[in-house]
Amino acid sequence: MQWCGETQTADWSPEIVPGQDIGIRLQAFLGWINNYGHLPYEKQQELLWQLGQIEIGVGTLVARNEGINGAVAQSIDSLKQWIKQIQPNILADETPWVVKGVKEWLWI
């Protein structure tokens, strides 16, 4: 910004990741509501608007989720390899039962 013939600058917030316009905390929140909360992108847009009038396009939400997935991919692969070495046979069970009239699931 020019002011009195001189360029004025300010330090970037540590919350801003270079090359991105979404802060770290918001990215983490978006990753959680998308991958754990299974909230569709359109519902994420609606939630962000209701929480703080934050307007983010679906394309940006998709790109952020892909970025998060890419950032954790190596750790997930390492964990998969470790599990295969420690416990080569993993069994799983998904058992339904009703709790207060609502079907719930137990995964073991």
Side-chain angles (χ1 to χ4, degrees):
M1 179 169 143
Q2 289 280 346
W3 186 263
C4 296
E6 294 185 29
T7 301
Q8 305 295 317
T9 62
D11 293 331
W12 286 101
S13 165
E15 293 293 311
I16 301 297
V17 177
Q20 300 177 15
D21 57 358
I22 300 176
I24 295 168
R25 291 182 183 147
L26 182 54
Q27 288 187 53
F29 177 68
L30 292 171
W32 188 86
I33 64 174
N34 184 50
N35 295 294
Y36 182 77
H38 306 289
L39 201 61
Y41 292 120
E42 290 79 11
K43 291 291 184 181
Q44 291 178 40
Q45 285 180 306
E46 184 180 328
L47 177 64
L48 291 172
W49 182 256
Q50 289 178 359
L51 290 176
Q53 294 186 337
I54 300 169
E55 189 171 353
I56 296 179
V58 170
T60 301
L61 293 173
V62 171
R64 280 301 78 233
N65 192 53
E66 289 173 355
I68 291 168
N69 290 343
V72 300
Q74 185 176 1
S75 296
I76 298 296
D77 289 339
S78 296
L79 181 59
K80 285 179 184 177
Q81 294 304 318
W82 177 78
I83 289 172
K84 287 178 184 178
Q85 291 172 359
I86 302 301
Q87 184 65 43
N89 297 316
I90 297 178
L91 305 173
D93 180 49
E94 181 179 70
T95 303
W97 78 95
V98 177
V99 177
K100 295 183 181 180
V102 177
K103 184 189 267 186
E104 299 287 346
W105 297 91
L106 174 65
W107 295 352
I108 56 170

